[in-house]
Every structure is written in structure tokens, then in C-alpha cells.
Amino acid sequence: MAAKKASESFSKTLIEEVHKWGCMKQTGVSLRYMMEFGSKPTQRNLLISGQFLHKELPIRIARRAIELESLPYGLSEKPAVLKVACFFMLYVDLLEPLMESWRNSLYPESAFEAMVRDWYLDSFRDLRSFPEIKDTNDEREFTQMIKAIKVRHNNVVPMMALGVQQLKKGMDPKIVYEDLDEIHQFLDRFYLSRIGIPGQHVELHNPNPPLHCVGYIHTKMSPVEVAQNASEDARCICLREYGSAPEVNIYGDPKFTFPYVPTHLHLMVFELVKNSLRAVQERYMDSDGVVPPIRIIVADGIEDVTIKVSDEGGGIPRSGLPKIFTYLYSTARNPLDEYSDLGTADTVTMAGYGYGLPISRLYARYFGGDLQIISMEGY
């Protein structure tokens, strides 16, 4: 069964509405505003937040729906990308039994692929048909909807990364990755749209929030503590992959705190440390010498908080530096070359997807920071 275009499956009115909302401007919200607004999660503030999301989420969904319809270089047709819609902001209650039916092979994969885009646009239609949020009860129902979204949204990043790797595997090796601007720009927008505020709204409903937390913002976050947790998680993966893992030494004042989102910092440090661990482990795998540790330095400046992750894994050659923030580049092997069942199994690889650094930079820049890489080849 061939996949139908959206215009063949949905009414002209719906398609026009999707394009109308997709042309609207997204609204960004600063960390300071979220802290100040969420510090008093009164019913009035929650109502205002719900009303804002009711208008904002359709814009973001419409934009992604339009782009997923016509990605460059055939990326739209990659199986993993077709499946992304199953996890990305699906609101339809009918989805779960349909997914279960597909898992049980009642629907052939070709039919499943044809249905995905329909489900994605169904999500936009359901959100647009959600009644105007006028009171607390409406806002609570809307929040329950967002909770369901969060659960279904969990696998979007690895699934999209798998789609990009499927594209990479079938590409002409002569193509210069950094020249594929359309794909890189789309993926930046796609991933950036996920770092938004729905999770903050849901967390404000927590009746017993953790100490010093405003939604998912920790007003007294210890970067040293987050770095320790992220490093331990990265070492666990390295131990599983290689059987051993270099040590990670962290330098900084554990009592120093500042307001930030711990999950964001954890992701960034985790990805950087994971890269360092792999580089050091592979460089010293057959060596009898002492394996040098990864070093993390947390510095509290007057204007900035800087976290430096350094290793002795050999560095990146100069020719590779322009590519490290592109989604099609990785110094590791393509995971599809090692695991043919990726996407159907729960296999997790140490590296190879090529999205750790670009996504980490997106998270760093979301609240005004940045991520910079300085390499010393041979060290």
C-alpha cells in the first residue's frame, strides 16, 4: 500500500488550517520568566499557562507536520522518520489500540507507514477541537492531555536520529555533510521545538514539588552534583559496552548553586562525558599504561558558569571540526552497520548517531549559553 499524501487523506479545510497555523510565529519564554511566573502556581497562573499552551502547541505541531511532509533528500520516507509521529505529540485516544494492533502485525508495515502522517495531523485536529480553556476544570483536562503527550514523546530523539542514519547509510559518500543545510536546519528546529514549556506546565501541578524547585527549574542547582550523576550514567554505558571505563574527576565547589534546569545540564554533560569516555577507552584499549581520567572543571564566574570537560582521547583532526555539529557526522561507526534490528529492539549504542553534540548545543543555547569544542589532535 503506497503512502498517501496528507491532501489525499484529510479535508482541504484541515490542510489549510495546518498551513495557516504553521506560518504563525512561535513564542519563546525565558528562564527568568518561567521562574517568576511558576514561583506562585496559583489556579489563576495555571489557567493562564494552560491558555497560552492551548494557542502555542498547535503552532509548533503544525510546523513540524508541514516539514515532516516534505523533508529534503528523501528523509521523509525513511521508516524511522515515518514512525516519529507515533511518539511526537499524539493526542488521539484511538492511537494506543492501533499501535497495539500494528505491533501484533494486524497491520502490515506499509499500511502503518501510510497511517502515521494521518495520526500526526489527527493530533493537530484534536488539539484544535479542544474547547477554549475557560476555568480550572478545563485546564486540568488539558494538563492530562499534555501528560499523555510527554509519555509518547520520549523516543522522538533516538527515533529521528535513526531515520537520519538510515538516510546517511544510503547517501553518496562523496556528499559533504556540512553542505546539507536544509537537513541540519530542519533538525535544529525540530529538536529545539521539543525543549519547550509543556513539561514546565505539567510539573507546576506537582502537589509535593522537590525543595527549591519551580516546575522543572531548580533554583539552587549544584552543577557539580549534576555532573557527578551524569558522569556515573555515562560510565555505566561505557562499562557495559567495553567492560571497563576511565575514571572521571570533577573539580569545583559542590556548595555552589545557580538556577537552571537539571535535566538539561545532565543531558549536556552526559553527552560530552560519553564522547570523552569512548575516545579514551578506544585509544588505550590495547595499552599497558595508566588510562588517564576525564576531567570536569566547574567554574563560577561573575557573568558565566562554565563547565569544562577535557580528555586525552587523541582529539579531533582539523578536517573533522567543521562537521562535529552536523547531524550526519560521527567519529564512531554507523550503528546500523552493527545492529541491523535498531528501531525494532531496545539496543542502545555507545555512539554513532551523531546527534549528541548538536543537540547539546541546542540545549545550551536555549537559555542563552553555548557549547564550544576545542581540539588538540594527538592529545
Side-chain angles (χ1 to χ4, degrees), residues 133-345:
I133 301 175
K134 297 180 179 179
D135 54 35
T136 300
N137 290 332
D138 292 342
E139 187 273 327
R140 286 174 180 168
E141 289 183 20
F142 185 73
T143 301
Q144 291 303 315
M145 181 183 292
I146 296 177
K147 286 183 178 180
I149 296 168
K150 283 173 61 62
V151 173
R152 297 177 182 126
H153 199 184
N154 287 339
N155 291 326
V156 168
V157 172
M159 190 62 74
M160 180 58 79
L162 178 58
V164 172
Q165 291 307 313
Q166 291 169 344
L167 169 66
K168 177 181 176 181
K169 192 172 176 64
M171 282 179 105
D172 185 339
K174 296 180 182 178
I175 293 178
V176 181
Y177 294 150
E178 58 264 35
D179 289 342
L180 302 177
D181 288 338
E182 288 179 273
I183 288 181
H184 302 315
Q185 290 174 14
F186 161 74
L187 291 170
D188 271 348
R189 293 192 300 270
F190 184 86
Y191 291 133
L192 193 61
S193 70
R194 302 184 65 255
I195 313 177
I197 51 180
Q200 173 73 358
H201 177 83
V202 170
E203 194 59 33
L204 289 176
H205 281 267
N206 187 345
N208 299 303
L211 186 64
H212 304 307
C213 284
V214 177
Y216 64 7
I217 301 168
H218 198 302
T219 61
K220 295 185 178 182
M221 184 198 72
S222 167
V224 169
E225 183 178 332
V226 174
Q228 288 172 340
N229 293 334
S231 299
E232 289 172 6
D233 290 346
R235 291 191 76 247
C236 284
I237 292 181
C238 188
L239 283 166
R240 183 181 63 194
E241 190 86 4
Y242 297 104
S244 61
E247 294 295 324
V248 178
N249 296 336
I250 302 176
Y251 305 91
D253 183 0
K255 296 181 180 179
F256 161 63
T257 64
F258 73 106
Y260 203 70
V261 181
T263 53
H264 288 194
L265 183 59
H266 185 283
L267 179 145
M268 290 183 276
V269 175
F270 171 80
E271 289 294 342
L272 293 172
V273 171
K274 183 160 65 75
N275 285 352
S276 291
L277 288 170
R278 181 178 66 84
V280 172
Q281 184 68 27
E282 292 186 354
R283 190 183 192 200
Y284 288 87
M285 189 175 295
D286 299 322
S287 172
D288 293 330
V290 178
V291 178
I294 281 78
R295 297 177 178 85
I296 300 177
I297 299 175
V298 179
D300 170 26
I302 297 175
E303 297 183 0
D304 296 317
V305 176
T306 304
I307 299 176
K308 176 183 175 182
V309 178
S310 59
D311 62 64
E312 296 176 41
I316 303 170
R318 185 172 15 167
S319 60
L321 287 175
K323 307 175 185 177
I324 60 175
F325 287 112
T326 67
Y327 293 92
L328 288 163
Y329 176 77
S330 174
T331 55
R333 291 184 60 189
N334 189 326
L336 292 179
D337 293 335
E338 285 189 78
Y339 304 101
S340 60
D341 61 346
L342 278 175
T344 60

Side-chain angles (χ1 to χ4, degrees), residues 42 44 128 167 237 343 349:
T42 61
R44 179 178 178 277
R128 290 291 299 125
L167 169 66
I237 292 181
T349 63

